[in-house]
Amino acid sequence: MNITVLELGEDKVRIALLGQGHTFMNALINEIQKDPTVDVANYIIEFQFSDPVLTVTTHDNKDPVAPILAACSRISADCAGLLNDLSSIKQ
């Protein structure tokens, strides 16, 4: 996945995620919002064929990238578990 960091501050990050759509972004936002340090997590797709821009802000100047990394790890673990369960069906 290609990303472009548009803005990075002490408590705010804006990242463009090239080629992603609503399905992935909704899953990512859902996981990011589970982090208690997160103040705001949202994304916008300005035009129909433009890339989404993720914005995350945190409370008390916490690192805004950490909740994104944690959310991606949880999504990856969920997918790995699903793959494992599906592979056991074929056997």
Side-chain angles (χ1 to χ4, degrees), residues 36-49:
T37 67
V38 171
D39 180 33
V40 173
N42 64 22
Y43 75 94
I44 186 167
I45 299 178
E46 192 169 349
F47 302 106
Q48 183 176 0
F49 297 107

Side-chain angles (χ1 to χ4, degrees), residues 8 15 21 37 52 67 87 91:
L8 179 59
I15 302 171
T37 67
S87 66
Q91 296 175 0

